Amino acid sequence: MVEGKPKSREELKQTLKRIDGKGYKFYRSLKGCYAWPKYLLYVDHVQSDPFAPPSRLRVRVPQKVAGFPKDTYHNKSREIALRDFLTRCFHDACKKFCGGKRGTGNSGLITIEKPGQEILERNSVIVNESFVEARFTAGLPAHGRRIDGKTAETMFSKEIPRIVEQSLIFQNLDGEKLYEHVEVAEDADYLRSRLEEMGLIAFVADGSILPRASGVDPRPMDRRLAVPFRSPESLRVKVELPNRGLVTGMGIPKGVTLIVGGGYHGKSTLLKALELGVYNHIPGDGRELVVTNPSAVKVRAEDGRRIEQVNLTPFISNLPRGQTTEAFSTENASGSTSQAANIIEALEMGAKVLLIDEDTSATNLMFRDRRMQELVPKDREPITTFIDKVRQLYLEKDVSTVIVVGSSGEYFDVADCVICMVEYVPYDLTREARKVAEKYPSERRQEGGESFGEVVSRIPLPQSFRFRRPGRKLKASVKGVHLARLGDHVLNLWALEQLVDIGQTRAIVDALVYAGKYADGKRSLREIVEQVLRDIEEKGLDVLSPKISGGYAAFRKFELAAAINRLPTLKVRLERKG
Ligand code: ADP
Ligand code: MG
């Protein structure tokens, strides 16, 4: 934070004149706060050279000038959505008014984190009753390693003021779009908050567009090609929303739900929409009113992941040579053990809904048929398959499951609801599936035992969070949404399909370091993670780092726990029973 009396813009101009043509290091003298007619400009961090990560700046516009009506941010849903909206406006304005790269490295570039399809809490823009603040980056311009003061002067005195004018002043914004943004988010949050009392784990509004432009482009599929969602009559529910009014759509009830149907008929697309229904989506996304229980976790097979002392006994026990699975560890898990660990770890964190797609599952964890049971008796098969556990999960632990299965009708016996996709349209085939199950009784033997079994709490040891080599500064870098580096360690998050924004990954990486202060060898993993989330709830995402930045987006406890579970440094002890 830069404190003290702000300097004048004239002073900034003079400084730039003075350092023009000098070595890059002289840019350091820019650090500080400057008073502009309509805002304060903070230069928080100055990059060390033209190729280094760009300098970090902030503008703070008093509400007297910015003029955002209270109802654009008067509750948490609206505030988060407004901040998200303003980040997008700022980003667009940068594109419009910044002259782009000029000179060496990232010289001349003014930019802000670009949000995707989700409306997430971000620290790129802060809004409160006294001001609106945007945090952005600028590549301070240079030719070679010499300061280009003239271009810098243009950036500070022409481009940034225009960007601010066009993105942070209410009366210059498209009011209709702004209100749509906050109202859509408020409706989605409201809808999500109503699921529990309606006995639902998810809601998919009629007319939703679920398919995406492509596997790598999360924007909606062209509306001329996409088949809009239409609920089966029997699953249709009505909800009155604060802004949109009455909407109808498919309610997925608690319990065990199957999504069946022929290949390519839209099963995975529906499940994917449910996975991301834990987040709000921007107007026009097509999934604005697709909402899922916030504690829904997608679980999949993840060959090669590390596992640290997870009690896998509900799914795997009696390995060959007397290996036990009460506290199973490996550096390189198989398909079935990795998926079993992913399930158990989600339960350990309090997941109330599991989302599973056969496309990404280990078949041998999903079920064993009668013939295999005959050939390989249970006492020689360490795995208890999910089909024998899924009802126990619901009845004993109130954990619902939605599972995509196109290949095996064995699951009919354990399902409460069967949704069949036919040419992208869902049908409720629950009754038909029951009839089929009666007509062709399964000869499978139940192998699930008396009860699901115990989910044991684990206590991370303090050294799990020591990433720094003694005497060295900790270097952390985020390479992409699913890949980060923490000191000497690579953190591979490729299997976390509900991680969507690089800002989340940045926040998670810093949260890993932050979490260390709660890892006292007494708190459980869940307690540590929930404490971190509480701190963020109370103090905002900024709590994660002493540096002021705008690069964070909010994440869930499940993704932070998943990152901890994949740490090469994680060491735990099991909570003693009783
Ligand atoms: P499945 O899992 O049943 O094999 P997918 O969900 O992968 O099928 O969908 C197959 C293809 O159909 C995907 O390319 C997807 O984009 C497209 N698709 C899915 N839903 C729709 C829809 N409602 N309208 C148009 N195309 C769709
Ligand atoms: Mg599929």
Side-chain angles (χ1 to χ4, degrees), residues 305-312 325-330 340-350 454-462 464-465 518-529 557-558 560-567 569-577:
R305 68 156 282 192
R306 176 168 192 264
I307 298 174
E308 169 63 16
Q309 297 201 46
V310 176
N311 174 18
L312 294 181
T325 52
E326 275 94 26
F328 186 82
S329 300
T330 175
N342 286 347
I343 294 170
I344 301 285
E345 288 169 348
L347 299 175
E348 185 183 0
M349 288 307 297
E454 204 191 358
V455 175
V456 184
S457 210
R458 291 173 300 153
I459 297 165
L461 305 183
S464 307
F465 295 89
Y518 294 123
D520 54 4
K522 295 191 190 79
R523 288 187 178 88
S524 68
L525 175 62
R526 183 166 173 177
E527 284 165 345
I528 293 171
V529 169
K557 66 174 175 177
F558 301 102
L560 175 56
I564 294 174
N565 277 316
R566 285 158 183 76
L567 280 175
T569 49
L570 180 65
K571 285 272 174 273
V572 305
R573 65 181 176 83
L574 303 188
E575 187 134 64
R576 235 176 271 133
K577 293 169 202 171

Side-chain angles (χ1 to χ4, degrees), residues 43-333:
V43 180
D44 289 320
H45 167 79
V46 175
Q47 64 202 98
S48 54
D49 67 74
F51 296 97
S55 304
R56 292 197 307 270
L57 279 61
R58 276 181 294 148
V59 287
R60 184 178 280 190
V61 190
Q63 275 294 12
K64 271 200 300 261
V65 178
F68 285 88
K70 200 75 217 284
D71 72 349
T72 59
Y73 62 96
H74 68 199
N75 60 35
K76 194 86 189 160
S77 299
R78 286 185 177 227
E79 184 205 317
I80 289 172
L82 175 64
R83 290 161 59 191
D84 177 277
F85 184 79
L86 296 181
T87 304
R88 292 166 200 270
C89 293
F90 198 96
H91 184 268
D92 292 346
C94 285
K95 279 198 148 165
K96 208 160 145 195
F97 298 114
C98 165
K101 275 195 194 179
R102 288 155 280 180
T104 325
N106 52 37
S107 280
L109 209 60
I110 304 171
T111 187
I112 197 164
E113 209 55 56
K114 187 187 176 172
Q117 295 302 110
E118 285 75 24
I119 297 176
L120 298 174
E121 175 158 19
R122 308 172 178 283
N123 67 348
S124 48
V125 171
I126 310 290
V127 178
N128 57 37
E129 283 186 25
S130 38
F131 60 78
V132 177
E133 176 174 296
R135 296 152 173 208
F136 59 103
T137 61
L140 295 176
H143 292 303
R145 304 187 60 83
R146 305 216 157 269
I147 288 176
D148 175 0
K150 285 195 194 67
T151 301
E153 165 65 13
T154 307
M155 289 164 71
F156 283 112
S157 66
K158 295 223 163 65
E159 298 177 359
I160 294 174
R162 273 183 204 144
I163 292 167
V164 173
E165 191 70 31
Q166 290 302 309
S167 64
L168 300 179
I169 312 277
F170 177 71
Q171 65 172 45
N172 296 338
L173 298 175
D174 183 338
E176 214 169 290
K177 265 182 107 175
L178 186 155
Y179 274 100
E180 190 189 8
H181 207 82
V182 298
E183 286 171 4
V184 155
E186 188 177 47
D187 279 350
D189 279 335
Y190 174 80
L191 191 52
R192 202 175 289 107
S193 76
R194 290 283 314 276
L195 289 175
E196 185 69 36
E197 72 191 70
M198 295 194 291
L200 304 177
I201 52 124
F203 176 92
V204 185
D206 287 318
S208 295
I209 301 295
L210 307 188
R212 300 293 95 192
S214 80
V216 291
D217 184 350
R219 290 174 299 177
M221 179 182 272
D222 186 331
R223 286 187 188 250
R224 286 163 299 186
L225 305 174
V227 177
F229 191 84
R230 195 177 75 215
S231 174
E233 207 45 57
S234 54
L235 294 176
R236 185 167 278 146
V237 293
K238 288 185 195 165
V239 194
E240 182 83 26
L241 301 179
N243 305 299
R244 264 281 279 277
L246 193 69
V247 294
T248 62
M250 179 172 85
I252 300 184
K254 292 172 79 169
V256 179
T257 299
L258 308 185
I259 301 174
V260 304
Y264 231 64
H265 278 255
K267 304 185 295 297
S268 297
T269 303
L270 172 56
L271 192 80
K272 194 88 218 159
L274 299 179
E275 289 165 26
L276 299 183
V278 299
Y279 302 124
N280 295 343
H281 289 94
I282 56 173
D285 173 84
R287 299 167 298 184
E288 296 93 314
L289 295 175
V290 179
V291 300
T292 308
N293 180 309
S295 77
V297 177
K298 166 74 176 287
V299 287
R300 56 166 297 156
E302 186 185 349
D303 308 39
R305 68 156 282 192
R306 176 168 192 264
I307 298 174
E308 169 63 16
Q309 297 201 46
V310 176
N311 174 18
L312 294 181
T313 52
F315 294 107
I316 300 172
S317 53
N318 307 322
L319 290 174
R321 299 185 180 157
Q323 289 182 72
T324 62
T325 52
E326 275 94 26
F328 186 82
S329 300
T330 175
E331 292 299 321
N332 189 0

